[in-house]
Amino acid sequence: MRNVWRPLGRVFSPAAGEPWSISHAANPAALTCADGSVRVFYSTRDAANRSSAASIDIMIDGDRFEVVDPPRGPLLTPGTRGSFDADGVTVSSVIAHDGKLYAFYLGWTVLVHVPFANFIGVAVSDDGGETFRRCSSVPVVGRSPENPLTVGYPFVLGDGPGWRMWFGSHLHWGPQGMEMLHVVKEARSSDLVRWTPSNAVVIDVAGPADPLEFAISRPAVLREPDGSLSMWYARRRPHYELGFARSVDGTRWERRDQDLRFVGTPEAWEDRERTYPFVFDHSGRRYMLYNGNGYGREGFGLAVLEQ
């Protein structure tokens, strides 16, 4: 499989505007609209570093793209005091189903002894993504024997009559700061709201093969024409990089990070990091949205798969 990407440029750069959107455009997630445009959902932050959800619409024509509307939002704001998402919401995957949009997000809680806790929530829109409301005040994937610490960065894909979710899970926190062990796991659902997580680790860190790597997060999964699955993700070692894995059956995955590369010279906004990928097919081509330096502080860009 060819996995060579050509950057097309930065799509959107955050600028201090509304009080809820002072900085960052992180974790871009694409949804193709009926008119052929692509709606990109992203996470933006206020002055207190709390994130809300917003979106922009872009038109893509081969190697060209154009932002056609100003940012829309806030689509979803931090929850009430004491809730699992009181310190921010980050939409990571949006699914169109039965005339509604389901936005899967990680809710943020800032803690004392460790930096944060994330749990996964879902919000629904009945008006094409103009507004969202929470389906529940509690997480749809939270703490459990399978995931005892923190979970986040959900990606949802249809699977026959049901649904599969891939997400990040902490196996443990280190003694200080951002030291952690973070891997990709999976959950299943029949209705997009009630989820059953598996205990199996889908994508593990490299271990002795790369002792600097300590986190795999923000998976994005596509089903290929032959039925196999491809996954792109962020890997932290300690700076962010992009990674890739393949699976024939969706259960056993083979990491093939070495297959993924970008051509050309990085622009200034992405010259140190590329991370948080979202890969999607559109008008016969395959594209990747991704963040550059500062995991969203410099905005997000678009790349196209070389043919």
Side-chain angles (χ1 to χ4, degrees):
M1 173 184 172
R2 192 167 175 82
N3 204 355
V4 180
W5 298 85
R6 178 162 44 86
L8 300 179
R10 181 161 52 177
V11 174
F12 180 73
S13 178
E18 299 293 333
W20 56 274
S21 182
I22 299 298
S23 71
H24 288 74
N27 286 92
L31 182 70
T32 299
C33 301
D35 64 358
S37 65
V38 176
R39 181 157 295 177
V40 182
F41 298 87
Y42 63 92
S43 171
T44 185
R45 303 187 192 184
D46 63 16
N49 222 28
R50 302 194 315 162
S51 57
S52 295
S55 70
I56 60 170
D57 290 349
I58 62 176
M59 296 297 296
I60 304 175
D61 182 12
D63 290 354
R64 301 188 304 273
F65 65 85
E66 178 186 5
V67 177
V68 295
D69 282 317
R72 180 187 294 106
L75 307 178
L76 192 65
T77 57
T80 57
R81 185 184 183 200
S83 62
F84 79 96
D85 53 5
D87 293 315
V89 295
T90 298
V91 170
S92 193
S93 182
V94 180
I95 296 294
H97 181 63
D98 282 348
K100 300 179 180 180
L101 297 183
Y102 291 81
F104 294 86
Y105 68 94
L106 55 153
W108 293 87
T109 303
V110 177
L111 301 177
V112 175
H113 297 293
V114 295
F116 59 83
N118 292 142
F119 303 112
I120 296 171
V122 60
V124 65
S125 173
D126 301 305
D127 55 14
E130 298 295 324
T131 59
F132 284 86
R133 54 180 172 80
R134 288 167 170 81
C135 290
S136 173
S137 60
V138 298
V140 295
V141 179
R143 282 196 175 110
S144 66
E146 298 84 6
N147 301 288
L149 296 176
T150 177
V151 297
Y153 300 103
F155 184 91
V156 175
L157 185 70
D159 185 52
W163 304 88
R164 298 174 77 170
M165 175 194 293
W166 291 269
F167 61 92
S169 176
H170 271 55
L171 297 186
H172 69 76
W173 280 104
Q176 61 185 356
M178 292 296 290
E179 296 177 2
M180 67 178 78
L181 180 58
H182 189 83
V183 300
V184 173
K185 289 193 172 184
E186 182 185 351
R188 295 178 183 256
S189 173
S190 61
D191 61 5
L192 288 171
V193 176
R194 292 168 294 185
W195 291 87
T196 301
S198 166
N199 190 44
V201 174
V202 176
I203 304 291
D204 203 349
V205 295
D210 187 353
L212 292 178
E213 184 180 88
F214 62 87
I216 304 291
S217 69
R218 213 288 163 94
V221 181
L222 286 182
R223 189 176 300 280
E224 303 293 354
D226 65 359
S228 65
L229 295 172
S230 298
M231 180 189 294
W232 294 261
Y233 46 81
R235 48 193 298 251
R236 198 166 183 180
R237 48 183 308 278
H239 296 295
Y240 282 103
E241 299 177 11
L242 298 175
F244 174 73
R246 290 293 306 274
S247 176
V248 174
D249 56 10
T251 301
R252 296 177 297 274
W253 290 82
E254 177 189 6
R255 286 188 59 171
R256 303 187 62 168
D257 301 328
Q258 71 280 0
D259 292 350
L260 193 161
R261 64 184 181 89
F262 276 57
V263 298
T265 302
E267 297 180 0
W269 69 277
E270 57 178 344
D271 61 357
R272 296 188 304 277
E273 292 179 317
R274 290 186 175 116
T275 188
Y276 295 161
F278 188 97
V279 178
F280 62 103
D281 292 330
H282 178 70
S283 297
R285 302 289 298 275
R286 180 162 289 182
Y287 297 92
M288 178 193 292
L289 292 163
Y290 63 96
N291 283 126
N293 304 335
Y295 42 90
R297 183 174 294 279
E298 299 291 337
F300 58 85
L302 184 69
V304 64
L305 186 68
E306 290 274 59
Q307 294 182 320

